[in-house]
């Protein structure tokens, strides 16, 4: 029988770091990544036959749990009809209508038109190009610690001053491209205002995670998104709301539907849940903006695999199954797990805070929940690796980084929750015993 270590060694021989996406390599927690062979409901199984309660959830898409029967049946039926045609299919329109209607019902704004793409990265890239095309401006504002995919302009790091243009955040990103992005602290409207004033008439758009969940979970402060929308519009720029992670996960449409202060973004990006676990994402907005995309307008965007019928079938089946009961269950499970984790850490004497945005949550090893990227980084993150490994040894697969949200699904039944709860006390003790040098 093969082992995780064998598979990791084999993969490293032929793939950089042995992975197709960096976080899977366990670099921030150390140890051997689990090579998975199957998933069912709340569980995943590795090549050694170990079964884990999964709190990674494919990084978000697995809203209904793994291999949900309705989604699998829809995918099988679609595959039997052909894997893709590079031509339009009725399912794409069904999905676009479903998204439009769910957003409308949630009290959200206008998703009159939707362009289907294959990844969240593509969705945000397209939204930004559209915003630039529509405004005739070049600069983009993004928030430190927010992740919108790996396109060049979005891998920009903050420079030394808030009104300065950003530096490349990755080798291979040309400075002039990073220099089109201004990086500002999250939840800090005064700085956004200052940046608009310093670059009057030059900012095309502000892009923001609807609720930040890629530096651990950091919710917007009360009314922040709404105030940001007003400020952005005052300066003739567009607000791009990135719901790739939150969309159809934190509620029937996304964060947009549950933010306590309503607001209207201009463009919205979706990914993850909207594709039901297959490569599908989307950018949406009002017709007056979206119709500037080719073939109607001058902003070019295209994709061989865009709107792939199997991915569309998975997305449709997932959204059709994602009823109020699904969201109730996810909220219940998230609360149970967040509360129990906090109780176990408290009992072990570990300073921590639970950070929540709807059903998304993460644990920060600091006294208060972080409000921005500086605070998110200012924590005893060395406590996470031993905590993570103790949970893994006890059969619970957490995200392999303290800066990721924990994803629950509607399939996390009482038995799966109980397994997590059983594992927590020993993991909390491991976190308590951690020292900075330890990994
Ligand atoms: C908020 C957000 N936007 C965009 C992306 C990029 O999506 P993808 O990984 O599908 O390219 C992610 C991925 O995690 C995300 O969380």
């Amino acid at each position: 029988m093969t082992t995780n270590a064998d598979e990791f060694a084999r993969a490293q021989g032929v793939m950089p770091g042995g992975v197709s996406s960096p976080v899977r390599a366990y670099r921030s927690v150390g140890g051997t990544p689990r090579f998975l062979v199957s998933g069912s409901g709340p569980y995943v199984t590795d090549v050694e036959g170990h079964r884990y309660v999964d709190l990674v959830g494919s990084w978000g898409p697995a809203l209904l749990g793994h291999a949900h029967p309705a989604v699998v049946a829809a995918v099988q039926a679609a595959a039997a009809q052909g894997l893709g045609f590079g031509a339009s299919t009725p399912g794409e329109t069904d999905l676009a209508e479903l998204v439009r209607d769910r957003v409308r019902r949630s009290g959200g704004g206008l998703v009159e038109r939707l362009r289907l793409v294959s990844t969240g990265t593509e969705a945000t890239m397209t939204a930004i190009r559209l915003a630039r095309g529509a405004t005739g401006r070049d600069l983009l504002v993004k928030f430190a610690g927010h992740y919108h995919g790996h396109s060049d302009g979005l891998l920009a790091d903050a420079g030394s001053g808030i009104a300065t243009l950003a530096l490349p955040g990755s080798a291979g990103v040309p400075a002039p491209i990073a220099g089109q992005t201004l990086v500002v602290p999250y939840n800090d409207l005064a700085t956004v205002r200052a940046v608009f004033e310093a670059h009057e008439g030059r900012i095309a758009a502000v892009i923001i995670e609807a609720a930040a969940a890629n530096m651990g979970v950091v919710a917007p402060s009360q009314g922040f998104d709404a105030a940001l929308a007003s400020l952005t519009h005052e300066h003739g720029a567009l607000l791009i709301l990135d719901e790739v992670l939150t969309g159809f996960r934190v509620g029937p449409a996304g964060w947009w539907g549950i933010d306590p202060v309503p607001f209207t973004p201009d463009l919205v990006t979706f990914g993850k849940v909207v594709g039901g676990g297959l490569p599908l994402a989307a950018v949406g907005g009002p017709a007056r903006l979206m119709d500037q995309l080719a073939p109607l307008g001058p902003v070019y965007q295209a994709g061989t695999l865009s709107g792939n019928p199997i991915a569309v079938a998975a997305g449709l089946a997932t959204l059709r199954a994602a009823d109020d009961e699904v969201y109730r269950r996810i909220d219940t499970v998230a609360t149970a797990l967040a509360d129990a984790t906090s109780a176990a850490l408290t009992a072990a004497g570990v300073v921590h805070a639970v950070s929540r945005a709807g059903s998304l949550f993460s644990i920060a090893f600091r006294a208060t929940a972080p409000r921005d990227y500086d605070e998110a980084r200012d924590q005893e993150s060395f406590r996470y690796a031993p905590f993570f490994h103790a949970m893994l040894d006890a059969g619970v697969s957490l995200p392999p980084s303290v800066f990721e949200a924990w994803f629950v699904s509607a399939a996390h039944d009482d038995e799966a929750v109980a397994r997590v709860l059983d594992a927590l006390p020993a993991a909390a003790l491991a976190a308590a015993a951690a020292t900075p040098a330890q990994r």
Side-chain angles (χ1 to χ4, degrees), residues 17-269:
V19 293
S20 300
S21 193
V23 73
R24 300 177 195 173
Y26 278 26
R27 296 299 284 256
S28 73
V29 291
T32 306
R34 301 304 187 258
F35 277 64
L36 303 183
V37 291
S38 66
S40 176
Y43 298 106
V44 289
T45 302
D46 70 13
V47 289
E48 297 177 14
H50 300 299
R51 197 170 74 137
Y52 305 87
V53 179
D54 182 31
L55 294 174
V56 180
S58 191
W59 299 103
L63 183 80
L64 306 174
H66 294 287
H68 185 279
V71 180
V72 171
V75 165
Q76 285 172 336
Q81 300 298 318
L83 301 184
F85 314 109
S88 295
T89 59
E92 293 163 61
T93 315
D94 293 341
L95 185 59
E97 287 175 346
L98 191 54
V99 168
R100 177 196 62 194
D101 295 347
R102 282 178 82 111
V103 171
R104 188 184 283 156
R105 269 202 309 279
S106 77
L110 237 42
V111 175
E112 289 173 329
R113 302 274 189 276
L114 202 72
R115 170 61 54 95
L116 302 184
V117 295
S118 299
T119 66
T121 296
E122 260 187 280
T124 58
M125 264 170 52
T126 301
I128 291 164
R129 185 175 301 152
L130 192 47
R132 287 177 166 145
T135 59
R137 302 172 176 184
D138 286 344
L139 298 181
L140 174 75
V141 175
K142 84 173 277 290
F143 292 94
H146 285 216
Y147 181 68
H148 305 286
H150 63 90
S151 65
D152 283 355
L154 291 171
L155 290 180
D157 274 351
S160 51
I162 48 110
T164 56
L165 298 166
L167 307 167
S170 158
V173 174
I177 293 184
Q180 301 297 308
T181 307
L182 294 144
V183 183
V184 294
Y186 189 34
N187 280 324
D188 178 352
L189 205 63
T191 301
V192 184
R193 188 173 291 115
V195 163
F196 265 117
E197 283 163 8
H199 299 276
E200 193 59 62
R202 297 182 60 211
I203 295 172
V206 177
I207 186 166
I208 184 169
E209 280 189 59
N214 284 288
M215 50 172 154
V217 172
V218 184
S221 54
Q222 171 97 1
F224 180 74
D225 288 352
L228 181 69
S230 305
L231 180 64
T232 303
H233 294 152
E234 264 167 45
H235 289 272
L238 303 182
L239 181 65
I240 301 170
L241 188 70
D242 184 351
E243 292 255 25
V244 165
L245 194 145
T246 45
F248 311 108
R249 169 160 279 282
V250 295
W255 185 258
W256 200 348
I258 64 170
D259 195 294
V261 185
F263 64 101
T264 305
D266 299 285
L267 294 168
V268 193
T269 54

Side-chain angles (χ1 to χ4, degrees), residues 412-438:
H412 282 77
D413 54 14
D414 292 349
E415 188 193 325
V417 170
R419 284 187 58 173
V420 180
L421 266 45
D422 287 349
L424 284 167
L429 288 175
T435 56
Q438 194 182 342

